[in-house]
Amino acid sequence: MASEIRGQIQTKIYIMIASFSGPQSSGKTTLLNYLQEKNCHIAFVPEVTRLVKRKYNLPINEDGTNVTQLMIVTEHLRNVYKFADYTNAILDRCALDGLVYTQWLYNEGKVDKCVLDTANTIYDQIISKYDLIFYTSPDDVDLVDDGERSINSKFRNDIIEIFNTYLPLLSNIIVLSGSVEQRLETIKKEVESRNLASIII
């Protein structure tokens, strides 16, 4: 009996950590809101960039600073370990986003090299911990002002270019394209085919 109990205790329950990633105004919020409404068995984690702005009143997007980016990438690190042994979780953005936006700010001379190095280190440490990263393709998605996201089209295009340098390097990236319905079907298929969780759409 004791050995049987020990065997049960040592059995690890697998937990899914997935994330949405991509440039601003590419359809992430629409998909996340839909999924959250129908999937109460999954924890949905809000975007850390907006959290940093609202909680600490820090500038974001193309006005980000050293402090802004350090806060953001630290939250990405925290989110991975916060949910790793807790419950299935879907995050709004991940360490990939933190690195891409920090890279843009560094290219523009707005953050220091040590901040980019920190973003790179966190990315290297946790990128493999995401079971799936759903990259929402910006193709045919209009740039819409929601009061917080940047509507600077050049900034958005620059961000897309940086994302495109990383996407081919990652094995856990799933590109979502097409209509909302098509994207939802892809999410369901990719999650369930890997036996990670059940998704209701």
Side-chain angles (χ1 to χ4, degrees), residues 61-117:
N61 300 322
E62 61 265 59
D63 296 319
T65 65
N66 284 337
V67 173
T68 300
Q69 295 312 114
L70 289 171
M71 285 274 197
I72 288 171
V73 298
T74 300
E75 285 297 319
H76 288 312
L77 177 63
R78 191 193 316 275
N79 279 341
V80 163
Y81 284 93
K82 179 179 180 181
F83 293 97
D85 295 313
Y86 174 58
T87 186
N88 291 325
I90 296 180
L91 316 179
D92 185 352
R93 295 195 179 280
C94 66
L96 173 60
D97 300 87
L99 177 56
V100 166
Y101 282 84
T102 304
Q103 180 71 62
W104 184 90
L105 289 164
Y106 175 75
N107 293 348
E108 296 295 313
K110 297 188 175 187
V111 300
D112 296 335
K113 179 66 161 53
C114 62
V115 176
L116 178 60
D117 290 343

Side-chain angles (χ1 to χ4, degrees), residues 133-169:
I133 299 174
F134 295 108
Y135 176 80
T136 49
S137 171
D139 295 346
D140 301 322
V141 180
D142 293 331
L143 184 56
V144 178
D145 186 1
D146 69 353
E148 286 185 308
R149 73 164 59 104
S150 171
I151 56 170
N152 181 330
S153 59
K154 182 183 183 305
F155 173 53
R156 184 185 190 230
N157 290 336
D158 289 348
I159 291 295
I160 292 169
E161 286 187 16
I162 299 173
F163 266 114
N164 286 340
T165 65
Y166 285 98
L167 298 184
L169 307 177

